[in-house]
Amino acid sequence: MKGPALLFCPGDRPDRYARAAAASDAVVLDLEDAVAPDAKDAARAAVMRGLADLDPAAVVVRVNATGTPWHAADVAALAAFPDVTLMLPMAQRPEDVEALGPHPVVALCETARGVLEAPRIAAASTSVGLMWGSEDLLADLGGRSGRAPDGTYRPALAEARTRILYAARAAGVAPIDTVLVALDDLDLLAADSADAAAAGYAAKACIHPVQIAVVRAAFRPGDDEISQAEDVLAAAAGQPGVFRFRGRMVDAPVLARAREILRLTHEADATTALRLSKT
């Protein structure tokens, strides 16, 4: 997965697959929450047909959770596409993540147990990403509201968001921020995305195409950040070690962050250029 905007697409809407894939950095074909129980088999068959026309590097399939009546059939069908990344909802044990091999797996932690087990889940041999799910987590906690009056997350969800980030980065897998279900609140989406990017998240999941541009803009480093990164790296040339630059101490971590800013900028610009070339 390259780029910060993942877009969920209902598995039983094959007419939307191509558009969702073209609009996003990775499309998540959803066999779980977006599909009614009586449509699961038809959705699975549609996803199997659709995968033949999609780039495996830019598609994720969210299977039904371990222990549900549809999980085994999902996994068995997707064995024909071993390179496709799977998303496992309600992830609570590393064994369940590893059981999906040889597929790469994004584990979705959306229960109290899943959040507490996040370090072990992220360290599973098949893990490539770790995501948290705010809505299901709030329900699992018995909470009534995940947001404070100012729009920020209440402490219980804020802690989960932080734990997922730490677990993912410690294991060397991609941390993915939760969706925002308030489709019309693009200001809150921008704030959420900016917070996620600033903290170290690699991507954010979207549930509507209108959210994609907001997420991409928030994750791309700003012009001032880019300029400062370029300047500090230029100033570091020929410097033997720690040095002073514009009133600040510059050492190895500062230089590493500057390089990361330029890497993210290059990746974002390359993705944009590729997307425009296909339109």
Side-chain angles (χ1 to χ4, degrees), residues 191-224:
D192 266 8
S193 301
D195 284 347
Y201 269 89
K204 186 171 180 65
C206 305
I207 55 174
H208 193 282
V210 74
Q211 297 179 321
I212 293 171
V214 177
V215 169
R216 283 178 174 150
F219 273 82
R220 186 186 187 279
D223 291 342
D224 287 346

Side-chain angles (χ1 to χ4, degrees), residues 154-180:
R154 295 184 186 276
L157 293 194
E159 180 171 348
R161 194 187 202 191
T162 301
R163 281 177 177 260
I164 294 303
L165 176 61
Y166 270 83
R169 289 302 186 187
V173 303
I176 302 169
D177 198 31
T178 187
V179 302
L180 178 66

Side-chain angles (χ1 to χ4, degrees), residues 52-95:
D53 299 321
L54 296 171
D55 177 5
V59 62
V60 177
V61 178
R62 179 161 73 168
V63 299
N64 286 281
T66 305
T68 63
W70 313 283
H71 177 78
D74 290 347
V75 176
L78 287 159
F81 296 91
D83 295 333
V84 170
T85 299
L86 304 187
M87 180 180 287
L88 180 65
M90 299 293 177
Q92 299 190 122
R93 306 188 313 156
E95 294 86 353

Side-chain angles (χ1 to χ4, degrees), residues 39-170:
K40 298 286 190 182
D41 292 342
R44 185 186 309 114
V47 166
M48 294 301 296
R49 291 191 299 269
L51 285 175
D53 299 321
L54 296 171
D55 177 5
V59 62
V60 177
V61 178
R62 179 161 73 168
V63 299
N64 286 281
T66 305
T68 63
W70 313 283
H71 177 78
D74 290 347
V75 176
L78 287 159
F81 296 91
D83 295 333
V84 170
T85 299
L86 304 187
M87 180 180 287
L88 180 65
M90 299 293 177
Q92 299 190 122
R93 306 188 313 156
E95 294 86 353
D96 295 333
V97 176
E98 292 177 342
L100 297 181
H103 294 280
V105 180
V106 173
L108 176 50
C109 298
E110 46 191 346
T111 65
R113 181 180 175 185
V115 171
L116 293 178
E117 290 288 326
R120 295 180 63 235
I121 292 170
S125 60
T126 53
S127 287
V128 296
L130 196 66
M131 179 176 163
W132 73 292
S134 55
E135 299 301 315
D136 281 296
L137 178 58
L138 181 65
D140 189 60
L141 293 173
R144 293 183 296 180
S145 171
R147 301 274 184 174
D150 64 358
T152 59
Y153 285 113
R154 295 184 186 276
L157 293 194
E159 180 171 348
R161 194 187 202 191
T162 301
R163 281 177 177 260
I164 294 303
L165 176 61
Y166 270 83
R169 289 302 186 187

